[in-house]
Amino acid sequence: MSYQVLARKWRPHDFSSLLGQDHVVRALTHALTENRLHHAYLFTGTRGVGKTTISRILAKCLNCVGPDGKGGITAEPCGVCEACRAIDEDRFVDYIEMDAASTRGIDDMVSLLERAKYVPTNARFKVYMIDEVHQLTSAAFNAMLKTLEEPPEYVKFILATTDPQKVPVTVLSRCLQFNLKSLSPQLISSHMAELLDKEQISFEKPALRMLASGARGSMRDGLSLLDQAIAYSAGNVTLESVREMLGTIDSTTLIRLLGALANHEPKEIMKVADEIGARSLSYTQAMKDLAVLLHRIAMAQQLPEILTDEEPDASELRQLASVFSPDEVQLFYQIAIHGRNDMALAPDEYAGFTMALLRMLAFAPLEGKMPKSLPAAVTHKEEAPALPKTEPAKTELPAQQKVQSAEIQPKALEAPAASAKSALSAQELEDIPWDHGIATGKPVFVPQGSESAVPNLKKKAAEKTKPAASAPAAKEVKPQPKASEAEPFPPEIAGVPAIPSIDMPDDDAPWVPETDSVPADDLDWMAPPAWPEEYSEEAGVSVLPPAPQEKQKEYIPAEPVQMNAWLEAAEKIHLDPASQPLVTSAELESFDGQNMKLTVDLEKLTAHDMVAKLAAELKKVLGSDVHVTVTTAPTKYQNLRTLYAQRFLAEKQKKLSELKKDKRILSFMKVFNVEPKAEDLDLLDKEGKVRTI
């Protein structure tokens, strides 16, 4: 006998062995027991959750006659009568399974409905099971409506679909609808363990949990993966073999990644990312698994009892849950799921994966502290031993703020081992602002092992405070102390010479440069700016640039432009850009058929060459010679430019009236108390650019 796959070999044959669909089993069991049977059932749910299995069990319940052949409708089919065995072996003539994905037309539906008129051959009910019913055509749905609503008393319809949204409501209203649930990974893994025990195949529970997670709620998918794992591992289902078969990333790799993230070790993070690529694993899957791991950590922080000792990575997850704060976990989880969505936009998967990790590293909330150290069990690294704490040296000062000792004891600092063991180099000591500390009278911290360099540096600091030799000697002026100030700081600290006093001039006196010690050429910048020769108060000449003038809008008269022979002809005339303003600005004064007098408001538009070009174009438009005369006169706004402006404004007013019909625009105007004007609108052309007149 040929091998039979696990999904078919261990298919449930009664309601008691059906897993995960208790709500459906309960409803059908009560209906069968009380003989309250509907004529049409619709089972919906994802693939592999038991739609076809429930259909077959229901068909057996309707047609079972018991071991003695005298039984009736029951919720517990015997499994030994001819009807039960024939349905299980898929040879029962009165149980018809139809795949709507392949027989979906109206001809197939008409043929099925015609056979439904005949009574069952050797059964109590004729049961029609239509799988993937949502793939039927609209004509096929319409053809079955009447029979589905009022079928013969010996006909039962069972419909199954994975997409109930595509089933017409007219069909849904004629059926009892049951939504089958997706199965949990725990239920799938426990069922797998039970089947492997019956098959006498060795396994590891973590391997079954990984297979159950890959099933995504489908028992059939889980058993298919289990068949594949048995073949891949040669009858010994282990975690390592399942991980290699599925191409998933082991949790230890991702735990190392989170450990490096907790310790802020970018090199270690990049090392783990490179290891994932070296094993030819999917970075998209790695990002998904990282989000799953962060979810488990977040759950462990709020519900510590959710992690059981049976899980191989339970101890590491507890350590990570204690190292990360809840807000860090939420931040990393958000970056992980967004990083997975952005994988398609990244240059490649490696760039998308590493950028998401670097984003986690950049946005990790340090809170001004050193990076948190993860236990060695997670990072597999030894931590440096902590330095012994030293008590800071105490310096007692008398009430008069006088220093009794000649040297200042350096204050010890608690710091990491990497920064507190070695003394500072000479170059680093030179960079310390010793003169600032001396001038302010504050003690300067000296790391241990660097005391020998202090005297030279103090001497250098004192030399910086000496006045230059070329400068004249400053007079000693004793400043008047304020009432709120204490006595001045002692003139000598730790053997360092006191800072010489500096003359403090009167704040009210005007400042005068010391010209004796400054060359005359260097004082030119202090001279006042030279005024232009033609400057005078009466002329009002200003050296400042004129303020920019706001551009005024062109005046558009309310009275419409009166059309005439000139304007009708001008609309058809197109001169070169330099001469076209004559056409748009000219206004008709008189026209007798041969002589046309025009006026413009600019003298430059009366040029002879412009007038000659206009006369030539008028001859083409009017069909006869016209003598054109152009003179200057104030505009009456009866020109082509005003005509175009009025038309453009009318178009804006029309658009504005259309906009005001929109309820959203009216709501905007009411909320912000604005009343738009037609002049403020911008009209766009087909290319999306602002139109002009």
Side-chain angles (χ1 to χ4, degrees):
M1 183 178 178
S2 61
Y3 174 74
Q4 194 174 21
V5 298
L6 295 176
R8 294 185 59 190
K9 182 178 180 180
W10 299 103
R11 182 192 291 270
H13 297 290
D14 51 31
F15 288 132
S16 61
S17 58
L18 193 66
L19 299 176
Q21 309 300 341
D22 296 338
H23 63 296
V24 179
V25 171
R26 181 178 180 181
L28 293 178
T29 300
H30 291 170
L32 291 167
T33 303
E34 299 175 5
N35 200 18
R36 300 178 64 87
L37 300 175
H38 203 273
H39 59 269
Y41 299 88
L42 175 63
F43 298 130
T44 65
T46 186
R47 71 274 177 274
V49 293
K51 297 185 295 296
T52 304
T53 299
I54 294 177
S55 173
R56 293 184 179 182
I57 296 174
L58 182 58
K60 289 194 296 182
C61 293
L62 294 172
N63 293 296
C64 179
V65 295
D68 56 358
K70 298 180 181 180
I73 298 174
T74 177
E76 298 177 357
C78 65
V80 296
C81 67
E82 178 60 25
C84 291
R85 287 189 290 107
I87 292 174
D88 287 336
E89 296 171 6
D90 199 13
R91 57 180 178 82
F92 194 60
V93 294
D94 291 318
Y95 176 71
I96 301 97
E97 285 190 3
M98 171 183 169
D99 182 16
S102 56
T103 54
R104 57 193 302 266
I106 186 173
D107 295 336
D108 301 311
M109 182 57 62
V110 170
S111 175
L112 182 146
L113 296 177
E114 292 211 349
R115 293 197 304 270
K117 297 177 182 179
Y118 302 102
V119 297
T121 304
N122 60 349
R124 191 177 295 117
F125 292 97
K126 182 179 286 188
V127 181
Y128 288 94
M129 194 276 179
I130 306 177
D131 197 9
E132 299 299 335
V133 68
H134 66 274
Q135 298 195 30
L136 289 177
T137 62
S138 299
F141 274 123
N142 294 332
M144 71 180 296
L145 287 179
K146 186 60 178 177
T147 306
L148 186 63
E149 184 176 4
E150 297 178 356
E153 60 181 6
Y154 49 81
V155 174
K156 300 294 182 184
F157 285 100
I158 300 177
L159 313 180
T161 179
T162 56
D163 193 356
Q165 304 296 330
K166 295 182 180 179
V167 179
V169 292
T170 53
V171 174
L172 295 176
S173 65
R174 289 166 167 82
C175 302
L176 286 184
Q177 184 173 349
F178 295 95
N179 298 318
L180 276 66
K181 301 176 182 177
S182 297
L183 306 181
S184 64
Q186 293 80 5
L187 181 61
I188 296 176
S189 62
S190 62
H191 186 59
M192 287 181 180
E194 182 180 349
L195 297 185
L196 290 177
D197 288 336
K198 295 178 181 179
E199 294 283 338
Q200 296 181 354
I201 297 175
S202 60
F203 62 91
E204 294 179 0
K205 287 186 178 181
L208 299 185
R209 282 195 294 269
M210 183 171 291
L211 290 173
S213 298
R216 299 180 180 275
S218 171
M219 182 64 76
R220 185 175 61 231
D221 288 5
L223 295 180
S224 299
L225 288 174
L226 183 58
D227 266 324
Q228 183 180 354
I230 293 172
Y232 185 86
S233 59
N236 183 21
V237 183
T238 61
L239 178 62
E240 187 64 28
S241 61
V242 170
R243 183 179 292 122
E244 292 176 359
M245 181 191 75
L246 297 178
T248 57
I249 301 173
D250 58 316
S251 59
T252 56
T253 301
L254 298 178
I255 288 175
R256 284 178 52 208
L257 187 64
L258 291 178
L261 182 63
N263 291 332
H264 280 255
E265 298 175 346
K267 292 184 179 179
E268 183 67 18
I269 293 176
M270 293 299 106
K271 180 180 178 181
V272 176
D274 293 338
E275 289 178 3
I276 295 174
R279 293 165 57 187
S280 301
L281 299 175
S282 171
Y283 285 109
T284 303
Q285 183 65 29
M287 188 63 71
K288 174 188 172 184
D289 294 342
L290 183 61
V292 172
L293 192 62
L294 289 168
H295 170 259
R296 295 176 63 192
I297 293 173
M299 294 290 291
Q301 287 178 336
Q302 304 299 330
L303 303 170
E305 66 277 3
I306 202 171
L307 291 177
T308 61
D309 295 334
E310 296 179 359
E311 302 181 33
D313 53 358
S315 60
E316 288 83 358
L317 290 180
R318 291 192 184 98
Q319 293 173 1
L320 286 170
S322 63
V323 168
F324 288 120
S325 62
D327 56 340
E328 286 178 305
V329 177
Q330 294 296 328
L331 174 65
F332 297 157
Y333 178 80
Q334 196 74 7
I335 294 175
I337 59 177
H338 282 286
R340 185 186 175 195
N341 293 334
D342 294 343
M343 280 291 190
L345 305 177
D348 50 61
E349 282 196 348
Y350 177 79
F353 183 73
T354 53
M355 281 302 294
L357 297 179
L358 293 176
R359 196 176 300 124
M360 294 180 187
L361 194 64
F363 287 95
L366 290 176
E367 301 177 358
K369 301 177 182 179
M370 294 298 295
K372 299 177 180 179
S373 298
L374 203 61
V378 178
T379 58
H380 304 289
K381 293 185 178 182
E382 295 183 357
E383 297 182 354
L387 291 178
K389 295 183 179 180
T390 57
E391 293 294 333
K394 296 181 179 179
T395 304
E396 297 181 357
L397 296 177
Q400 291 80 8
Q401 297 290 332
K402 294 183 178 181
V403 179
Q404 301 295 336
S405 59
E407 295 182 359
I408 298 176
Q409 299 295 333
K411 182 179 180 181
L413 182 66
E414 299 177 9
S419 61
K421 285 186 176 182
S422 58
L424 296 179
S425 62
Q427 182 62 34
E428 291 173 335
L429 285 168
E430 290 183 2
D431 295 337
I432 297 178
W434 298 95
D435 50 347
H436 176 73
I438 295 169
T440 57
K442 299 180 180 179
V444 181
F445 167 71
V446 182
Q448 296 182 1
S450 305
E451 293 84 350
S452 58
V454 174
N456 294 333
L457 294 171
K458 290 180 178 179
K459 182 178 180 181
K460 183 180 296 187
E463 292 176 356
K464 290 183 180 180
T465 59
K466 291 182 179 181
S470 59
K475 299 179 181 180
E476 294 187 4
V477 179
K478 187 174 182 180
Q480 297 294 329
K482 296 181 180 180
S484 60
E485 293 180 349
E487 293 186 3
F489 203 82
E492 183 174 348
I493 301 177
V496 180
I499 301 175
S501 59
I502 302 174
D503 284 343
M504 301 298 293
D506 188 2
D507 291 341
D508 298 332
W511 177 79
V512 179
E514 299 179 5
T515 55
D516 296 340
S517 59
V518 181
D521 295 340
D522 294 343
L523 298 177
D524 293 342
W525 62 273
M526 293 184 290
W531 298 106
E533 295 181 0
E534 64 274 14
Y535 175 81
S536 64
E537 285 186 339
E538 293 79 5
V541 178
S542 175
V543 295
L544 297 177
Q549 298 293 329
E550 184 178 356
K551 186 178 180 180
Q552 296 182 355
K553 296 182 179 180
E554 183 178 0
Y555 171 71
I556 302 176
E559 183 179 355
V561 176
Q562 301 296 326
M563 294 298 295
N564 50 47
W566 156 244
L567 291 178
E568 294 177 356
E571 289 189 276
K572 304 176 184 178
I573 296 176
H574 300 283
L575 303 180
D576 57 90
S579 305
Q580 186 64 22
L582 171 60
V583 180
T584 57
S585 301
E587 299 177 359
L588 181 64
E589 183 176 349
S590 63
F591 179 53
D592 57 4
Q594 295 182 351
N595 300 306
M596 180 179 289
K597 293 183 179 180
L598 302 175
T599 60
V600 293
D601 54 354
L602 293 177
E603 180 70 27
K604 63 180 181 179
L605 297 180
T606 61
H608 178 72
D609 56 340
M610 291 186 183
V611 176
K613 293 178 182 179
L614 178 60
E617 291 297 322
L618 277 174
K619 181 179 179 181
K620 296 179 182 179
V621 174
L622 300 178
S624 60
D625 291 334
V626 178
H627 180 69
V628 180
T629 304
V630 181
T631 59
T632 58
T635 181
K636 301 177 182 177
Y637 297 102
Q638 295 293 317
N639 50 37
L640 193 62
R641 183 174 65 246
T642 305
L643 177 64
Y644 286 164
Q646 289 180 348
R647 290 177 180 176
F648 197 53
L649 180 60
E651 186 177 358
K652 288 185 176 182
Q653 291 172 345
K654 181 181 179 181
K655 292 292 182 182
L656 181 60
S657 62
E658 294 176 358
L659 288 175
K660 288 185 177 181
K661 296 179 181 179
D662 193 335
K663 294 182 179 180
R664 295 172 297 178
I665 301 297
L666 293 176
S667 176
F668 176 85
M669 294 167 55
K670 183 177 180 181
V671 171
F672 293 96
N673 194 22
V674 294
E675 182 64 30
K677 298 180 180 179
E679 296 85 351
D680 300 329
L681 293 183
D682 287 335
L683 302 182
L684 305 180
D685 56 14
K686 295 181 179 180
E687 299 179 355
K689 298 180 180 179
V690 179
R691 288 170 48 192
T692 56
I693 301 176

